[in-house]
Amino acid sequence: NYPKPELGGPEASVIQTILDATAEVAPSLDIRYHSSLITNKFGDTQLQQDVHADEIIERHLKKNPLIKGFASE
């Protein structure tokens, strides 16, 4: 478990969204993803687990109306 933020106002929901996303990412990363490489639309090679984590994070961030966008390296 992770500590709950002690913030008030809208920033608390943003932090909670990030905590919820990371709580889902951590257990979902599996050894089978470590050696699977894929090529993205820009021609970059990525580990499949990176792509999987980005998808989970994106799904969580899209649910919070205060978050207007995000970028991933």
Side-chain angles (χ1 to χ4, degrees):
N1 287 338
Y2 48 84
K4 300 290 183 191
E6 293 186 24
L7 298 172
E11 67 274 10
S13 75
V14 173
I15 291 172
Q16 189 60 54
T17 297
I18 295 167
L19 289 172
D20 291 344
T22 56
E24 184 179 341
V25 167
S28 74
L29 296 179
D30 187 299
I31 192 70
R32 67 185 159 185
Y33 290 116
H34 287 283
S35 61
S36 287
L37 296 176
I38 60 172
T39 302
N40 67 17
K41 64 184 175 184
F42 302 107
D44 299 324
T45 302
Q46 298 175 283
L47 285 174
Q48 189 174 355
Q49 72 184 117
D50 290 339
V51 174
H52 179 69
D54 280 351
E55 289 169 349
I56 292 172
I57 294 166
E58 179 179 10
R59 181 169 35 83
H60 281 269
L61 296 178
K62 283 182 173 181
K63 292 178 186 177
N64 188 317
L66 295 177
I67 300 171
K68 303 301 181 195
F70 82 103
S72 175
E73 58 165 302

